[in-house]
Amino acid sequence: MKFSSEEIIDITKAWFAISLAFGLVLGGITIKFFTTFIISTVAVGLGFSLHELSHKYFAQKYGYKAEFRSFDEMLFLAVIMSFFGFVIAAP
């Protein structure tokens, strides 16, 4: 698999936003936010990245061109909605 610099930036941006959203939902704006953010970064972020990269792998395996692109408006919405207690993860 080959990655463009734009794709790496988009994956990193989406990983951070989703981790932030889950960290806010699980920890709130309290001292335990940092702990939940780190756990979310590992658990949710890693799951998200592996999921998206599997799409890319199989598309390329069957001869299609595939690159991840983040949907920035939905990432922003995911972070905003996490302040209200739920996450819409559609990166």
Side-chain angles (χ1 to χ4, degrees), residues 29-40:
I29 305 176
T30 64
I31 193 69
K32 65 181 195 177
F33 163 75
F34 296 107
T35 304
T36 57
F37 176 70
I38 297 300
I39 293 169
S40 295

Side-chain angles (χ1 to χ4, degrees), residues 40-85:
S40 295
T41 299
V42 174
V44 176
L46 190 59
F48 154 74
S49 296
L50 291 174
H51 172 87
E52 292 302 329
L53 292 177
S54 68
H55 288 297
K56 177 185 176 91
Y57 170 78
F58 281 101
Q60 289 180 347
K61 179 180 176 182
Y62 290 104
Y64 295 96
K65 182 180 176 185
E67 280 197 354
F68 177 82
R69 291 291 180 257
S70 64
F71 187 8
D72 295 341
E73 291 82 4
M74 289 304 289
L75 291 174
F76 179 73
L77 182 63
V79 173
I80 295 301
M81 297 309 285
S82 68
F83 285 100
F84 297 101

